[in-house]
Amino acid sequence: MIICTGCGQQNQDGERFCQKCGKKLQSSRRMAASDDNSSAPLPRFTHHGLPEDRWLTFRRLVEAWGYLGVLAVVAAVCFFQKTWWPLYPAVVVLGLLLWFRRI
């Protein structure tokens, strides 16, 4: 037996519409009980992030750009001071850092 959700009339199993009110009959599945947690805070969003190998590549790229930024600052200071000798040790130190860090 299928019970109409509109009027409560019992109908035969093969019926598609209620014999009393004409409303389309629903399946016999019951709706899940709704928990009224509207005042509860939503869970914090966490993403799964990048795979480990891509994250390592990204970190190396950011580190390399950081070294390039340091070199650009040293070059700008040398340009405004009109003295170029500090640029040479800076290039050597940054080159060694890149080589030891395997970037």
Side-chain angles (χ1 to χ4, degrees):
M1 295 295 268
I2 300 175
I3 299 174
C4 178
T5 56
C7 65
Q9 173 72 28
Q10 291 185 355
N11 296 286
Q12 296 298 322
D13 286 335
E15 299 291 327
R16 295 180 61 187
F17 296 97
C18 179
Q19 295 173 351
K20 183 176 181 184
C21 66
K23 184 176 179 183
K24 184 176 179 182
L25 296 173
Q26 302 290 325
S27 66
S28 62
R29 292 186 212 149
R30 295 184 187 261
M31 289 184 10
S34 64
D35 296 332
D36 190 17
N37 292 338
S38 59
S39 62
L42 294 174
R44 186 179 179 115
F45 175 76
T46 56
H47 64 85
H48 299 288
L50 294 173
E52 187 61 35
D53 59 335
R54 294 186 98 188
W55 181 245
L56 181 63
T57 304
F58 177 72
R59 285 193 334 222
R60 285 183 176 170
L61 181 68
V62 169
E63 188 177 353
W65 276 103
Y67 292 143
L68 186 62
V70 168
L71 187 63
V73 168
V74 170
V77 169
C78 288
F79 178 76
F80 287 115
Q81 295 294 325
K82 305 264 193 246
T83 239
W84 294 101
W85 69 266
L87 190 59
Y88 302 127
V91 168
V92 170
V93 168
L94 289 176
L96 286 172
L97 264 173
L98 290 171
W99 185 64
F100 283 123
R101 299 278 299 151
R102 298 185 190 272
I103 294 179

